[in-house]
Amino acid sequence: MTTPIKFGTSGWRGIIAQDFTFDNVRLATQGIADYLNAERKREGSALSRRKPVVILAYDTRFLGREFALAAAEVLAANELQPLLCNRDTPTPVVAYTIRKRRALGGINFTASHNPAEYQGLKFSPANGAPAPPEITRQIEEAIARRQAEGWTFRGAVIGTYRCPTFDPQPAYVRHLRRLVQFDVIRRARLKVIVNVCHGTGRGYLDKLLQEAGAQVTVLNERPDPLFGGHHPEPDAAGMAEAAALVRKTRAHLGLGTDGDADRFGVVDADGRWLTPNQVLVLTLYHLVRNRGWKGCVVRSVPTSHQVDAVAALFGVPVRETPVGFKYIGAVMESEPVIVGGEESGGLSIQGHVPEKDGILACLLMAELVATEKRSLGRILAALEKQTGPFYTERLNIRIVPEQKDAILKRLASGLDRIGPFKVEQFITTDGYKFLLPNQEWVAFRASGTEPMVRCYLEARSERNLARLRAACRKLLAL
């Protein structure tokens, strides 16, 4: 491979057989092994006191298990002990297992909600969180050194190594039973539609709800590397079938997980898909109002300020981070956090792993409905009577590649106005965020791989949302 292997917000991803090949997987794994062995030898390192175990996992994508076995060969050749999950496994389960078994870390073969032609390699260090930039930078440097040397795997075990396997599900389920009030769900006798998007969530979300006495209808439960011809994402389009069935059967709600079950999708009793922003707001409300939890709430830069408004009702401080759950996870490791989440569909809570967990998020929504015996929409409407409404939107605007630098330079210099709205504050924590009057705002983030700028909007009325949309399109058109 002549192009460098780079780790993004959730690991290294590439198109199968084009970028994501067995040779490149072995090269990337060797870089991880170099990093781990260097850390084990570093004076004062916590890893020096741990057994050299590395958890291996994969989702339902093409060749996932085979890629994991290739990684196992490389790890074993580097005197590390690979331990392979016995079936396709949700990302949050991998995170919990790393912590539970005090492993050095974990390598998970998943491209999450990406299209079927993609595969991915995600490394998590010993705390189970997504690897932070300072770690991925060291791994990338190790990979580059090996690449420059012309490294290829020549281990004697190649093709013959039998990797030990184990079942991570029982320990993770026991942990969830301490976090979720299943007795409350049981008393409510809920009717739930569950969409696991042909991914790893099957046998987890559906089974836990069934064991709690819910009447569950499961959609897309057969493992499929093509994900039924759709993206394995429980967004509005991905949850449309579940929404129709919720309305038809008069279910209490529809719940979904993406390909590796770290993201969630929620449909209310009337078939309306709730945004991840709204689910984060509802989770914060539930854990403070009904559970009495204390601490702060953490959200990423482009996540709704409705979170802030609800936090203010309860006197909860808010922390803002760059995009990427690794940053939210870092706050969770440093102070008491009630809930941390992001607008793209990731969420975790106090006492859990510093990683996204779609299974847990869905169970908490079932718990909230069971606790208050009313729909999520009615709970949101009651909250909005106190905070006022919030209207959010994300635009993916393609730009001429030659104009990308000029657009970013203009945004970086700050703006006095966006359309008719005065800019009150300019934030550069991640991309360019412009705070406007009345808790309205716009944020811009450039794609690192495409000629595209992502534009996040939040307004307090549908009219203002339309005005912001028009102003941003005009701004990016140059």
Side-chain angles (χ1 to χ4, degrees):
M1 185 176 184
T2 55
T3 56
I5 292 175
K6 294 292 184 182
F7 286 68
T9 54
S10 295
W12 165 53
R13 294 180 186 177
I15 295 176
I16 299 170
Q18 177 175 300
D19 310 306
F20 209 95
T21 64
F22 281 97
D23 284 346
N24 292 338
V25 164
R26 291 187 176 102
L27 175 61
T29 305
Q30 182 61 50
I32 292 170
D34 288 344
Y35 162 75
L36 288 174
N37 280 328
E39 273 296 297
R40 291 174 65 209
K41 295 174 184 176
R42 184 173 60 83
E43 186 176 351
S45 171
L47 295 190
S48 63
R49 300 189 296 273
R50 293 193 174 204
K51 292 181 179 179
V53 172
V54 179
I55 305 300
L56 288 173
Y58 54 92
D59 65 11
T60 59
R61 290 172 184 275
F62 186 57
L63 292 174
R65 186 172 189 273
E66 288 76 12
F67 283 129
L69 289 171
E73 293 174 340
V74 176
L75 293 171
N78 284 270
E79 299 183 345
L80 298 170
Q81 299 172 14
L83 188 57
L84 179 65
C85 296
N86 65 337
R87 54 153 276 193
D88 56 276
T89 303
T91 288
V93 178
V94 179
Y96 177 75
T97 303
I98 292 169
R99 294 170 73 96
K100 177 71 175 178
R101 290 182 172 254
R102 292 183 53 77
L104 299 180
I107 300 175
N108 188 10
F109 288 88
T110 175
S112 191
H113 61 289
N114 277 36
E117 61 267 28
Y118 283 84
Q119 182 57 277
L121 182 158
K122 181 174 183 177
F123 173 71
S124 299
N127 67 348
E134 56 269 25
I135 290 179
T136 56
R137 185 164 48 250
Q138 293 177 65
I139 293 172
E140 287 172 351
E141 290 170 355
I143 293 170
R145 285 194 297 269
R146 293 289 186 171
Q147 201 171 31
E149 297 166 358
W151 179 90
T152 56
F153 181 66
R154 303 184 187 281
V157 297
I158 186 168
T160 61
Y161 179 71
R162 294 183 179 275
C163 186
T165 62
F166 75 108
D167 183 2
Q169 186 170 22
Y172 170 80
V173 168
R174 285 195 296 272
H175 175 64
L176 280 196
R177 292 194 185 285
R178 293 190 290 268
L179 292 175
V180 180
Q181 296 179 336
F182 285 100
D183 55 334
V184 174
I185 297 175
R186 183 171 290 105
R187 289 194 295 270
R189 304 181 63 84
L190 299 178
K191 180 186 286 189
V192 186
I193 309 301
V194 171
N195 176 20
V196 293
C197 292
H198 300 286
T200 61
R202 76 187 189 289
Y204 283 88
L205 178 58
D206 52 331
K207 183 179 178 182
L208 284 164
L209 287 168
Q210 287 167 345
E211 290 178 353
Q215 181 182 332
V216 179
T217 300
V218 188
L219 303 177
N220 304 313
E221 61 182 320
R222 177 177 58 85
D224 179 6
L226 298 179
F227 303 108
H230 307 285
H231 291 194
E233 185 171 9
D235 56 9
M239 291 294 287
E241 181 185 7
L245 201 54
V246 166
R247 289 190 296 266
K248 181 179 179 181
T249 63
R250 297 184 179 181
H252 291 90
L253 72 171
L255 302 171
T257 51
D258 71 340
D260 66 326
D262 67 342
R263 299 190 184 205
F264 56 83
V266 177
V267 170
D268 198 17
D270 61 358
R272 178 168 64 105
W273 179 76
L274 301 183
T275 69
N277 285 317
Q278 291 170 323
V279 174
L280 178 56
V281 164
L282 288 167
T283 305
L284 173 62
Y285 161 81
H286 175 52
L287 294 178
V288 176
R289 173 68 176 79
N290 298 319
R291 294 277 206 97
W293 283 18
K294 305 292 184 182
C296 69
V297 59
V298 190
R299 58 159 180 78
S300 60
V301 167
T303 298
S304 173
H305 287 205
Q306 187 175 18
V307 173
D308 305 47
V310 172
L313 293 177
F314 295 103
V316 172
V318 178
R319 306 282 184 263
E320 184 176 73
T321 72
V323 173
F325 211 86
K326 53 194 167 191
Y327 300 108
I328 293 173
V331 180
M332 294 182 69
E333 293 284 83
S334 65
E335 64 178 297
V337 171
I338 298 168
V339 59
E342 52 190 0
E343 59 80 35
S344 57
L347 182 154
S348 189
I349 66 172
Q350 191 176 123
H352 195 38
V353 294
E355 174 63 284
K356 301 188 292 289
D357 192 337
I359 299 166
L360 174 64
C362 287
L363 291 171
L364 289 172
M365 289 300 96
E367 181 188 309
L368 173 54
V369 170
T371 299
E372 300 209 353
K373 297 180 176 59
R374 54 178 178 161
S375 72
L376 298 174
R378 288 181 60 194
I379 298 169
L380 268 175
L383 280 172
E384 288 183 355
K385 284 184 178 179
Q386 301 177 73
T387 66
F390 288 78
Y391 299 88
T392 61
E393 188 171 330
R394 187 176 82 174
L395 306 174
N396 293 326
I397 301 177
R398 291 199 168 272
I399 56 177
V400 178
E402 294 76 19
Q403 293 182 337
K404 184 176 180 180
D405 288 343
I407 289 173
L408 295 180
K409 185 177 180 180
R410 182 181 178 189
L411 292 172
S413 64
L415 300 169
D416 294 328
R417 306 187 74 84
I418 294 180
F421 302 97
K422 181 183 177 182
V423 173
E424 294 187 335
Q425 190 176 346
F426 180 38
I427 297 172
T428 57
T429 303
D430 190 335
Y432 311 105
K433 185 172 182 177
F434 301 89
L435 301 187
L436 312 172
N438 195 29
Q439 293 182 286
E440 298 182 322
W441 56 269
V442 174
F444 301 91
R445 293 184 73 248
S447 169
T449 57
E450 299 177 88
M452 177 187 294
V453 172
R454 293 185 174 88
C455 180
Y456 304 85
L457 317 172
E458 181 155 81
R460 304 305 303 274
S461 69
E462 291 182 331
R463 179 173 180 268
N464 276 4
L465 185 66
R467 295 167 78 191
L468 284 175
R469 186 188 305 120
C472 289
R473 288 191 181 279
K474 183 177 180 181
L475 180 66
L476 296 180
L478 279 184

